[in-house]
Amino acid sequence: MEPIKRIEEGLKELYDSNVGKVERQPDVDIYDLGENIVLYVDMPGIRKESIKVRVYDRAIEVIASPATPEGAGKPLRRERISNFPVSRKIEVPFRLRVESAKAVYKDGVLQIVVGKAGEYGVAELKID
């Protein structure tokens, strides 16, 4: 067996034996719409009921648990994101209006819309 093939097989075995223990981070696109931001999170194959979204004052966290396929036998290869716990915390450069947050899951994409409460940083104040 050539060395590269042995490495690939070893990595596959390691990967398969750690399914359920390794978290995956979904891909995310973020758009600034002025008053709001919109996040698109790729989560194909994830059940809507297993997704949890938490909105903090300066971050958004997405967590999902893997679903076990019915009648699943011994896996030969497991690569789909839905086989792994999913976790991603996205920090943004401004405060968020937590109460305005909304999430919709459709066609394997989670859309999160959150209002911006303003940028944070340093402000110089005029003294009255």
Side-chain angles (χ1 to χ4, degrees):
M1 187 182 260
E2 60 186 83
I4 299 296
K5 189 70 170 168
R6 280 187 291 188
I7 292 171
E8 286 177 350
E9 289 299 317
L11 288 173
K12 181 187 173 302
E13 184 178 320
L14 178 66
Y15 191 74
D16 289 343
S17 65
N18 284 296
V19 169
K21 300 174 190 167
V22 177
E23 287 186 348
R24 300 266 310 255
Q25 286 194 348
D27 293 330
V28 176
D29 289 343
I30 305 172
Y31 295 92
D32 186 341
L33 302 179
E35 294 293 316
N36 297 312
I37 62 166
V38 178
L39 291 84
Y40 295 98
V41 185
D42 287 343
M43 302 183 79
I46 303 287
R47 288 187 348 262
K48 179 173 98 171
E49 298 78 25
S50 74
I51 301 172
K52 294 196 184 336
V53 178
R54 293 186 181 118
V55 179
Y56 302 92
D57 62 341
R58 291 183 288 253
I60 298 166
E61 182 177 38
V62 177
I63 300 168
S65 302
T68 305
E70 292 182 27
K74 180 182 176 194
L76 297 176
R77 187 174 200 130
R78 297 185 72 182
E79 296 180 0
R80 297 180 313 131
I81 196 168
S82 62
N83 292 321
F84 298 87
V86 174
S87 178
R88 181 135 188 206
K89 189 169 186 178
I90 303 111
E91 296 188 14
V92 294
F94 33 77
R95 292 178 300 121
L96 298 172
R97 294 183 195 273
V98 176
E99 71 284 352
S100 74
K102 295 178 185 168
V104 176
Y105 183 65
K106 183 179 178 185
D107 298 331
V109 178
L110 178 65
Q111 178 187 19
I112 304 166
V113 179
V114 185
K116 295 187 329 188
E119 295 183 19
Y120 65 90
V122 177
E124 188 170 322
L125 303 177
K126 179 182 173 188
I127 300 172
D128 293 327

